[in-house]
Amino acid sequence: MNGEDEAAAPADLRAPPATQHTAIAAQEESPRAAAAPDAGEHAPPVLDAKAEALLAEARKEQVFSYDTKRFPFREMFRRMFQLQDDAVTLDKVHAMELPDRAPLSLAFIHAFKVAGRKTPKNWNKALSRKKDRLKKFIASRAFKDFNDLFAKFVEEVVVPIIGDETGVVSQNPPTFRVQIPSASPIGNLHKDSDYERHVDTEINIWVPVTDVFGANTLHTESEPGK
């Protein structure tokens, strides 16, 4: 949630290698309301008492479920990460042999670099050309298909969770996080409100597409400052 400390935990290294898992997730940040046009780019929105109560309720930590046949995100991430070998599951990508051809997803490449894995030269070259790589990734059919379906996910799943009859403003595209087993997390402990372009009324929706457990998950505060 916005305003709360959060950090992606390193995947659990206490388990034997055969049981280590890679954690992959999409994170969508939904501002409850937009700032007035003349209020300044980063000015907080003005909420009435009803909206404040709705926001407080929506920010309570909860676990929700959704239809994975209607929203087959695992399969879509396999396509976006260009996993050709059917034997390689998302939670075991850290064990696969890295191909010379660099994947289009920078999040996927970055995960291996953070973990200290030696990556092929083409992967390193891709990281040095982030803007060009990002344009190609966004233009890919795999990403476009995902983004179209994720928009429906926000409409059909996220909006009812928030409970605001006027709707929400959502982040597009969502943030992808890939954490492969290592002692190094992909992100530092932080609050979203520490950064520009985040408003005080954001609500984070975290959508894991692999099993998460123990240290192999996202750690957050239960409420700001606690």
Side-chain angles (χ1 to χ4, degrees), residues 101-180:
R101 183 178 180 180
L104 291 177
S105 172
L106 290 170
F108 193 66
I109 299 174
H110 182 66
F112 286 89
K113 297 296 291 186
V114 169
R117 284 282 300 275
K118 184 177 181 180
T119 52
K121 291 182 179 179
N122 287 332
W123 289 46
N124 301 330
K125 187 182 295 184
L127 281 179
S128 68
R129 301 174 179 175
K130 290 183 178 180
K131 288 186 178 180
D132 178 63
R133 208 69 185 177
L134 182 59
K135 287 181 180 179
K136 290 181 179 179
F137 177 67
I138 291 176
S140 69
R141 173 48 55 191
F143 174 78
K144 288 181 177 179
D145 288 347
F146 167 83
N147 213 35
D148 288 345
L149 188 64
F150 197 80
K152 295 178 181 177
F153 177 81
V154 171
E155 180 181 353
E156 297 177 21
V157 179
V158 174
V159 171
I161 290 174
I162 303 302
D164 186 348
E165 60 186 16
T166 64
V168 300
V169 178
S170 63
Q171 174 184 326
N172 183 278
T175 301
F176 294 161
R177 300 185 186 277
V178 182
Q179 175 71 61
I180 67 175

